[in-house]
Amino acid sequence: MRSVLGKLLVSFIVIWIALLGLSKLYDFALLHNSNVKASYIQKNKIDADLLILGTCQAVWIVQPSLIEKHTQLKTYNLGLNNSDFSDNYLYLYMYLKRNKTPEYLFLYISPETMDLHYSAFNTYRFATFVGDAVVDSVLKDCDNNYFKWTSIPFMRYAYYNNNVNFDVMQGLKHFLTNKTTPHFKDNGYEQAIHPIKETDPNAVVQIYPDGFVFTWSDLREKYLRKTIELAQQHNIKVTLYESPLLKEAILHLPNRMEMLRKIKSVAEEYGIEFVQFENMKIADSSKYFFSSVGLTTKGSVIFSDSLGKYIKNKIMKK
Amino acid sequence: MQFNSFLFLFFLLTVVILNYFLSSRYRLSFLLFSSFVFIGYFSLASLVAVLFFSIVNFYIAKNISGRSFLYVISLLFNVSAIVLFNYFNTSTQGISFKLSEVSFNIGSFIVALGLSFYSLQNIAYITDIYFKRSTPQHSILKYVLYNSFFPKVVSGPVLLPNELMPQMSDNRPSAQMLASGINRLLTGLLKKMVIADRLFPAVQEIFDTPETYNGLTTLAGVYLFTLQLYFDFSGYTDMALGAAKMLGYDLKENFNLPLRSLSITEFWRRWHISLISWFSNYIYYPVVYRLRAYKKTAVFIGVAATFLVSAVWHGIGLTFLLWALCHVIYMSFELLTKSFRTNLSVRVPVMFYKLFSIFIVFNAVCFSNIFFRAHSATHAFQLIKNIFSNFIPTNWMRDFVAPLAQSGNLNELFNGITTVVITLLVLLFERSLTKKGNETKINIGYIIMCVMLIMVFGVFSNAERFIYMQF
C-alpha cells in the first residue's frame, strides 16, 4: 500500500507541476495570438479618441475609417462577436488599463442585447486574466460554475478547452512566425461572416416567424450600467446607439417599444443619449441585411457614413 | 451525481478512504450507507424505490420454494416495474397526479434510477431460488447492497447474485485492487470526457434534423453515434468497475473490444456482456431448451425472443423493435450462412477476411443503431433515405464540414479534427489501453497521460449524461 500511495503522490506532484507549466504556456500563446482582440489591445497601443463597443452588430456594421473621414477622430472598434455587456465591460476595463482614455464611447444597444436569449458571456475569453480582481468579480457573477474551479492549476483553460486550444496553437504559430497583424483590420473592424444569407433576403424576416417577445435581463442591465459608470468615471462621453432594423421584422416584435422605453430611461438616468437609426432608408430593403438586425457590408458602409456625420454634427458640436 | 463530475470523484475518494480505514465489522454497513447517499442525491424517490424492490424481492425469495403462483406474481411484479418505468420514461411528462390542491409531477427518470438494471438482478435471484439453483440470502443488508451498490446501480453491469454477494465480506481492498481501480477509473474518464462527449454535438446535429443532410454527412453522423455510444457506455463501465475495485469488489466486464468483432454473434459476446449473459441465461437458453426438438428453428425463435425482450427492456417504442429486428435478421443470416463463411475464410487471405468482416459488422451495427438513436421510426427512415440519396455534398463546407464541426469555423474544425484523430488513435491502441487500465500496479506515466489528455481535451462545461442512464 505504501508503494501505491508513494506513486500516487509522485503522480500528483508531477501532474500539478505539469499543469502549472501548461497554464503558463497557454498564457504565453494566447497573449501572442494577434487574432484575439483582448491580447491585441494588451500588446498594441491603440490610443483611440473614439471607441466603438458592443456585440457582433458593432463589429460588423461600424467601419472606423468612415467615422474618421467625417470626424477626424482616431476611431477603434472594440466590438466583439457573440458578446454581452459583461464582455463589453471587461474589454473596456482592459482597454483603459493599457491605453489613453478616449473622448467618446459609442455603445451598441438594442432590445436583443438586453435579452439573455441573444448572445452570451464568453468566459473563456478572460481565462488569461483570471487573478485580476475586476475580472474575477465578473467571472464569479456571470459564470460561477467556472470560477469556483479556477484555483486548480490550468482549470481556467481546461474548463472551456474547446474554445481555447485552437487559439493557443494559433498563438504559438504567430509567435514563431512573428505575425503581428490580426485577421481583423487594424482599427478593429471585421466584415460580417454571413455571405450565404446575403443572397437570400427572404430568409431575413424568417428569423421571427411566430413573433418574438423580449425578456429584459437584470444581469444585462447591471453590466450595461457598470459599463456606462466605468466610462463616466474616466470622463468619457458615452452615447448609446442602435443600428437600423429591417422594417418588416418590427411587425414580429410585439414588445420592442417597451424595451426601447426601458433603454431610454436608463440612458436618461445617466444623462446620456440613446440614438436610433431605424428611420434610415436602408431599413426598408432587405438587400442590406443578412438578418433582421445585421447589416451586410454594403449596408454597413451606408450606416457608418451616417453615424460619422451624426457624430460630427450632433455629438462633437455639443 | 454524475460519474464524470468533480462531486462524484470527491465522494468516491471519501468513501474509498473511509472504507479502507474503517473497522471491518462496519464496512458493509458503510458501503450501504454510501450507496444510499449516492442514490438519495439523485432523488429520494429513487432511494425509496430501490429499498422497496429489494425488500419485497428479499422476502418473496424466502417464501418462494415450491410456490409457482408466487413465482409468477413476483415475475409480473418485476417485469411490470421495468415496463412501467420504460413507458413513463418514453413519455415526456412522467407521472402526473393531483391530490387535493397539490399537484405532483414525478419525472420518471428521477423516480427510478437504475430500476431496469436491478430489476433484472431481482428476477435472476428469484428464478434461481425457485428452480433451486441457489438458496435465499440470509442477510437483508447484503441483498439491499446487491441492488444498490453505488458503482453499478446507475447502469450496471447487471450481476447475478453469485457474482457479487460472495464478495461481500469484511475484507479490506488490497493495494493491487486500489491501483487497478485508479487505472480503470481514469481510462473510463478518458473515454467519456475526451471522446464520447466530444462526439456528441455532431451526432446530435445529424439526428435532430434528419431531413437536412446529404448521404455522406448522415453516414458520418451514424458512424459517429456508434463510436459515441461505445465510448460513452464502455467509459461508464470502466468507471463503475474502477470505483468498485477501489472498494475491494470485482464486477463483471461489460465490453471486450466489440468493434473488432468478425460477426454479429461475436459482437454480442463482446458488447454489453452482462446484459447479454442475463438474456442468454433467462430467455435464450430456456426458450431453445424448451423447443429443442425443432433444432435450428428453436435457435431462431430463441434469438427473436431474446431481442424482443431486449427491445422492450430498452424502451417502449417502434424504434427499439426495429433495432432488435435488425439484429434478429443479422443473426439468422449468420446462422444460415455459417458453413459458407467458414469455407470462405480459409480460401481468402486471413487479413483481408478479418478486415472485411470487421467492416461489414461495424456497418451492420451502425445501421441498426440508426433506430436505436432516432427520435422516431419516421426520423430513422428519413436518415436511411438520406444515406441512399444525394450522397456527395454539393457544398462541402456548408453541407459536410459545418454540421459535423458545429459552425464549421476554424476553431470548431480544429476541434473536429482533434476529436477524430484522438478517437482513431484510441481505437487503434485500444488493446494496450485496456491492458493498462487493468494493470494492478500504479503506472505513473499512464496516470499522467490520462489526466493531461482529460485536462487539455476533456469536456467539462457541457458534460453529457451517460447514454445508458436513460434505460
Side-chain angles (χ1 to χ4, degrees):
Chain A
M1 186 52 84
R2 272 191 188 165
S3 144
V4 169
L5 290 178
K7 283 184 178 177
L8 279 178
L9 187 66
V10 172
S11 307
F12 181 78
I13 293 168
V14 174
I15 288 169
W16 197 267
I17 293 168
L19 290 177
L20 285 173
L22 205 58
S23 237
K24 293 281 171 206
L25 178 73
Y26 270 52
D27 286 346
F28 175 82
L30 286 171
L31 286 171
H32 279 85
N33 189 329
S34 309
N35 291 338
V36 176
K37 231 176 206 177
S39 307
Y40 187 79
I41 58 172
Q42 296 292 306
K43 276 203 322 181
N44 299 282
K45 275 269 177 205
I46 310 287
D47 292 341
D49 303 310
L50 193 155
L51 264 190
I52 304 292
L53 194 55
T55 64
C56 41
Q57 311 311 335
V59 194
W60 293 336
I61 63 180
V62 184
Q63 301 199 20
S65 55
L66 292 167
I67 310 275
E68 282 177 5
K69 194 179 93 182
H70 292 289
T71 62
Q72 313 305 319
L73 293 172
K74 189 182 177 191
T75 306
Y76 188 78
N77 191 329
L78 195 59
L80 277 173
N81 290 329
N82 187 25
S83 63
D84 70 0
F85 289 117
S86 342
D87 290 85
N88 297 156
Y89 168 68
L90 284 180
Y91 260 56
L92 179 63
Y93 163 74
M94 289 194 295
Y95 177 89
L96 293 174
K97 266 173 71 168
R98 301 274 302 175
N99 291 278
K100 134 190 149 178
T101 305
E103 204 179 334
Y104 303 100
L105 173 74
F106 271 70
L107 179 59
Y108 175 80
I109 192 163
S110 69
E112 281 86 355
T113 61
M114 299 309 300
D115 187 331
L116 291 176
H117 180 78
Y118 292 95
S119 301
F121 174 62
N122 291 283
T123 318
Y124 68 90
R125 283 179 175 148
F126 306 100
T128 315
F129 309 101
V130 168
D132 180 299
V134 174
V135 174
D136 284 0
S137 74
V138 177
L139 294 179
K140 200 174 170 185
D141 203 16
C142 298
D143 192 356
N144 195 35
N145 278 339
Y146 164 85
F147 184 72
K148 66 187 177 191
W149 298 111
T150 53
S151 48
I152 298 174
F154 191 68
M155 204 57 209
R156 62 198 162 110
Y157 289 120
Y159 200 82
Y160 292 111
N161 60 51
N162 257 359
N163 297 97
V164 291
N165 284 341
F166 175 74
D167 285 345
V168 168
M169 300 300 286
Q170 199 174 48
L172 289 174
K173 186 186 142 203
H174 287 182
F175 170 71
L176 294 170
T177 56
N178 253 335
K179 187 177 184 292
T180 51
T181 48
H183 76 86
F184 47 85
K185 290 197 172 173
D186 282 351
N187 56 24
Y189 171 70
E190 278 178 57
Q191 216 168 13
I193 49 167
H194 290 276
I196 302 160
K197 284 186 181 170
E198 266 186 300
T199 58
D200 183 12
N202 293 329
V204 169
V205 283
Q206 284 169 13
I207 198 166
Y208 302 121
D210 306 315
F212 185 83
V213 178
F214 294 111
T215 310
W216 183 270
S217 154
D218 291 339
L219 188 70
R220 292 274 167 96
E221 184 187 334
K222 178 181 170 181
Y223 281 95
L224 165 67
R225 287 175 182 275
K226 281 181 85 100
T227 311
I228 297 169
E229 284 160 14
L230 177 67
Q232 290 188 334
Q233 279 161 20
H234 287 79
N235 297 319
I236 303 168
K237 290 165 194 149
V238 184
T239 306
L240 304 182
Y241 75 97
E242 187 192 29
S243 59
L245 168 82
L246 183 68
K247 276 230 166 96
E248 289 169 66
I250 294 178
L251 301 171
H252 301 268
L253 306 169
N255 68 337
R256 184 168 179 270
M257 291 310 290
E258 188 192 327
M259 297 290 282
L260 291 173
R261 266 196 297 275
K262 276 187 163 183
I263 295 172
K264 271 178 201 160
S265 75
V266 173
E268 279 166 13
E269 258 185 66
Y270 289 96
I272 59 178
E273 256 193 89
F274 171 41
V275 197
Q276 287 175 270
F277 291 89
E278 61 182 27
N279 291 326
M280 276 182 72
K281 258 216 147 148
I282 52 172
D284 298 337
S285 169
S286 63
K287 73 176 178 181
Y288 294 110
F289 291 84
F290 61 78
S291 75
S292 57
V293 288
L295 287 168
T296 60
T297 311
K298 266 188 203 166
S300 82
V301 170
I302 299 169
F303 171 66
S304 301
D305 196 56
S306 305
L307 184 64
K309 283 179 191 161
Y310 180 86
I311 294 169
K312 187 188 172 192
N313 298 328
K314 297 275 169 81
I315 306 288
M316 291 173 72
K317 281 188 179 166
K318 272 187 184 170
Chain B
M1 205 187 301
Q2 289 267 34
F3 275 15
N4 53 333
S5 67
F6 284 112
L7 185 63
F8 175 74
L9 295 181
F10 177 73
F11 170 78
L12 180 64
L13 184 70
T14 313
V15 174
V16 168
I17 292 171
L18 291 175
N19 179 61
Y20 188 82
F21 288 107
L22 214 62
S23 159
S24 60
R25 53 198 281 232
Y26 299 120
R27 206 164 276 140
L28 281 183
S29 314
F30 173 69
L31 282 183
L32 189 64
F33 170 75
S34 308
S35 299
F36 286 173
V37 171
F38 178 84
I39 298 168
Y41 185 83
F42 273 97
S43 73
L44 201 60
S46 296
L47 182 56
V48 172
V50 76
L51 272 171
F52 173 72
F53 283 101
S54 302
I55 293 168
V56 169
N57 281 292
F58 178 80
Y59 284 107
I60 286 176
K62 274 192 172 298
N63 302 297
I64 204 167
S65 180
R67 293 179 177 171
S68 52
F69 180 71
L70 189 58
Y71 176 61
V72 173
I73 293 289
S74 68
L75 277 186
L76 283 175
F77 171 67
N78 285 300
V79 170
S80 55
I82 298 176
V83 173
L84 278 174
F85 166 73
N86 282 344
Y87 174 75
F88 288 113
N89 201 30
T90 316
S91 82
T92 50
Q93 295 301 313
I95 309 163
S96 295
F97 59 94
K98 204 171 168 124
L99 188 69
S100 181
E101 289 306 305
V102 188
S103 293
F104 292 87
N105 186 290
I106 308 170
S108 53
F109 165 70
I110 295 171
V111 166
L113 179 76
L115 185 141
S116 299
F117 291 87
Y118 63 71
S119 288
L120 291 183
Q121 296 190 161
N122 287 329
I123 292 171
Y125 177 67
I126 292 218
T127 304
D128 284 359
I129 290 168
Y130 177 74
F131 288 105
K132 299 192 174 12
R133 292 195 286 255
S134 67
T135 51
Q137 177 59 239
H138 295 298
S139 159
I140 193 163
L141 185 147
K142 283 189 179 179
Y143 191 73
V144 177
L145 185 60
Y146 163 62
N147 275 336
S148 63
F149 187 42
F150 78 87
K152 59 103 199 152
V153 71
V154 180
S155 308
V158 180
L159 300 170
L160 303 183
N162 60 5
E163 287 169 338
L164 184 64
M165 284 199 265
Q167 296 185 60
M168 289 182 188
S169 61
D170 302 329
N171 293 338
R172 178 179 283 180
S174 65
Q176 286 82 358
M177 285 195 98
L178 196 65
S180 171
I182 291 167
N183 290 334
R184 201 69 198 262
L185 191 81
L186 282 173
T187 310
L189 268 178
L190 183 80
K191 286 181 183 174
K192 170 68 177 162
M193 294 176 75
V194 178
I195 303 180
D197 281 359
R198 284 176 74 97
L199 291 171
F200 170 76
V203 172
Q204 178 167 263
E205 175 68 31
I206 306 295
F207 277 86
D208 281 3
T209 47
E211 65 290 340
T212 317
Y213 299 109
N214 56 69
L216 189 65
T217 314
T218 308
L219 187 65
V222 169
Y223 282 161
L224 293 181
F225 171 63
T226 296
L227 294 173
Q228 186 211 350
L229 180 65
Y230 172 54
F231 284 110
D232 188 280
F233 196 20
S234 75
Y236 159 81
T237 304
D238 286 334
M239 293 187 73
L241 267 64
K245 275 194 175 176
M246 291 164 80
L247 298 167
Y249 290 82
D250 259 323
L251 303 187
K252 191 174 188 167
E253 289 291 343
N254 239 356
F255 292 92
N256 179 20
L257 311 175
L259 300 183
R260 291 164 188 236
S261 305
L262 302 181
S263 67
I264 292 291
T265 316
E266 188 187 342
F267 173 81
W268 282 114
R269 284 193 204 115
R270 291 162 168 254
W271 179 283
H272 207 170
I273 297 166
S274 67
L275 183 73
I276 295 306
S277 75
W278 191 97
F279 284 138
S280 299
N281 287 334
Y282 297 97
I283 308 284
Y284 177 76
Y285 290 127
V287 169
V288 174
Y289 183 76
R290 287 233 156 185
L291 303 172
R292 60 191 179 280
Y294 301 98
K295 293 177 181 169
K296 262 193 178 175
T297 312
V299 178
F300 289 131
I301 294 172
V303 169
T306 305
F307 277 101
L308 178 69
V309 175
S310 177
V312 175
W313 181 85
H314 277 94
I316 310 290
L318 186 58
T319 49
F320 289 117
L321 287 174
L322 290 167
W323 165 80
L325 181 67
C326 286
H327 284 280
V328 172
I329 293 170
Y330 297 159
M331 292 189 73
S332 306
F333 176 79
E334 283 188 356
L335 204 67
L336 291 170
T337 59
K338 197 177 175 185
S339 56
F340 168 76
R341 285 182 300 113
T342 314
N343 285 338
L344 189 71
S345 68
V346 290
R347 286 183 189 176
V348 294
V350 180
M351 189 53 84
F352 174 79
Y353 180 78
K354 278 190 174 175
L355 287 177
F356 184 70
S357 300
I358 290 172
F359 176 78
I360 295 290
V361 170
F362 180 70
N363 277 279
V365 170
C366 287
F367 181 80
S368 66
N369 280 346
I370 294 175
F371 297 105
F372 194 87
R373 172 65 172 80
H375 298 299
S376 65
T378 320
H379 271 199
F381 286 118
Q382 176 68 52
L383 286 161
I384 294 166
K385 194 177 147 199
N386 288 356
I387 294 174
F388 293 104
S389 55
N390 300 324
F391 192 76
I392 304 294
T394 44
N395 181 331
W396 280 87
M397 195 62 202
R398 187 192 62 197
D399 301 334
F400 186 75
V401 177
L404 292 175
Q406 294 182 52
S407 60
N409 64 32
L410 278 177
N411 182 46
E412 296 302 346
L413 197 58
F414 173 80
N415 288 332
I417 292 169
T418 325
T419 309
V420 170
V421 170
I422 296 172
T423 309
L424 290 178
L425 281 174
V426 170
L427 277 176
L428 200 63
F429 296 106
E430 202 184 359
R431 210 181 285 275
S432 344
L433 196 74
T434 310
K435 213 172 146 189
K436 290 274 177 214
N438 283 327
E439 271 184 9
T440 52
K441 57 183 181 194
I442 292 286
N443 183 332
I444 296 177
Y446 183 69
I447 290 180
I448 293 170
M449 183 197 82
C450 286
V451 174
M452 295 312 276
L453 278 173
I454 289 167
M455 292 298 270
V456 176
F457 296 111
V459 174
F460 289 89
S461 52
N462 294 311
E464 285 301 317
R465 219 172 74 178
F466 286 96
I467 295 173
Y468 258 75
M469 275 181 87
Q470 66 187 293
F471 300 123

